[in-house]
Amino acid sequence: MKSTEAEVGIREVPKAPKWLALSFQHLFAMFGATILVPFLTGLPPAVALVSSGFGTLAYLLITRGRIPAYLGSSFAFIYPIMQVSETHGVAGAMIGSFLAGLVYGATALLITIFGMKWIMKLLPPVVVGPVIIVIGLGLASTAIDMAMYLPGDEQVYSATHFTVALVTLGITILATIFLRGFLGLLPILIGILGGYGFALSQGIVDTSEIAAEWSSITSAGSIGGTFQAIFQMPEFLIPFRDFSPLSVFSWQIVFLMVPFALVTITEHIGDQMVLSKVVGRNFLKNPGLNRSILGDGVATVIASFLGGPPNTTYGENIGVLAITRVYSVFVIGGAAVIAIFFGFVGMSTAVIGSIPSAVMGGVSILLFGTIASSGLRMLIDNQVDFGEKRNLIISSVILVIGVGGAFVQLTDDVQVQGMALAAILGVLLNLLLPGKEKSQGNGSMFEEPEVEDKQSNGAA
């Protein structure tokens, strides 16, 4: 993608009506993906919206208002959040998110001191690619279970639910292939809306919460009562108020969640490179990759303090910028404020909660497959040679350990398992086996974009 002249510059403030419309447009593109993660992990969608909004505002402040990026729920953390929540509750998942945010901060500090080359040595394509594949494939059973079975602990097959899932999947695929322009950025949201409509026709949508919300609004009887009925406090999970972090902490949480921060940091760097090419400014130099990664980490820490999923920069964000050429950080900030607003609207929570699991399962079939395929794409784009035994060994070990569900029992309470174990072994094999240069492929993974560090339109 090549940069073009901006319709709205990075530091330009649009007039109020245009500003509001552009911010809504940006949030609309992010909405489907942002609510999907909390839906799959059992976290409150309203909290995810609020945490993504505050995280984005913090990111814009840390990057000095120079990078137009919206931060939303991270797909890479779906599996570890689900695993930690089963053993240590949602509070444990929030501790893991907090620790992952600290890894971002430590990485930003190391980049400030040593530059970027050490990341390339630690995380070459032959390690990151297979780990991303494992993340996608490890979630495959979750998508199929949601698509095929009735909601509940027991797996009871439902032809109706599977049909709804397949219709949702079909709509999402058609939207991905045939829609162009701004609508082409919304296949997840369009798939959810289309699947929801079909699920309504099949009678599997529970609208009781929506009816209850509407009833409370219409029967309020006064302006103050109506206000209280519309706006509700999200189900925040605040440390030291709702749980004691020290009593929940476990080393198993560390081993389950922290390794995924390395993968998301690599994805973040790739996003920044593409974003630099789209906008026509080298964000890796100004304001600097260290600030960008620090912003991601702070946004994740903020989410952990509220009870939301970890935040990260989005590919959808880059797509919106490329098509609309609206680069204003004020538009991004406006979208963040609107997301926070929606998080406090009870009706939005009721609508999101009424989406059948079969609809989300249908979308997830494509989404999780796409995650795995993006790992393959990383290997192809970087031209990793699997004729080299070193590369073949590293990728093979990562794939089998990760997909097979292997684990190491360190103590009675601490396990290193699945994808986390695969990532750790991949990094260690890459550091220990001879011939490290053979794992870099064509060496373009962390190649800085050749763009001018120019001022964009609008106020400086």
Side-chain angles (χ1 to χ4, degrees), residues 126-136 260 263 398-399 419 422-423:
V126 75
V127 172
V128 178
V131 168
I132 294 175
I133 293 172
V134 168
I135 290 173
F260 289 89
V263 177
I398 291 173
L399 290 172
M419 287 179 259

Side-chain angles (χ1 to χ4, degrees), residues 190-227:
I190 291 171
I192 292 174
L193 292 175
Y196 190 87
F198 182 72
L200 277 171
S201 71
Q202 299 302 302
I204 65 170
V205 179
D206 182 2
T207 59
S208 59
E209 288 295 326
I210 298 176
E213 285 290 333
W214 180 250
S215 177
S216 65
I217 293 172
T218 56
S219 62
S222 66
I223 296 177
T226 302
F227 182 87

Side-chain angles (χ1 to χ4, degrees), residues 340-393:
I340 295 171
F341 174 82
F342 279 166
F344 285 88
V345 177
M347 183 61 77
S348 66
T349 303
V351 171
I352 294 170
S354 70
I355 301 174
S357 59
V359 172
M360 289 304 197
V363 171
S364 298
I365 290 173
L366 180 61
L367 176 65
F368 297 157
T370 301
I371 293 173
S373 298
S374 67
L376 289 173
R377 179 179 177 180
M378 178 176 286
L379 296 172
I380 294 170
D381 289 347
N382 288 275
Q383 298 176 343
V384 176
D385 183 6
F386 282 99
E388 296 287 346
K389 294 180 180 179
R390 184 183 197 276
N391 295 340
L392 191 62
I393 289 171

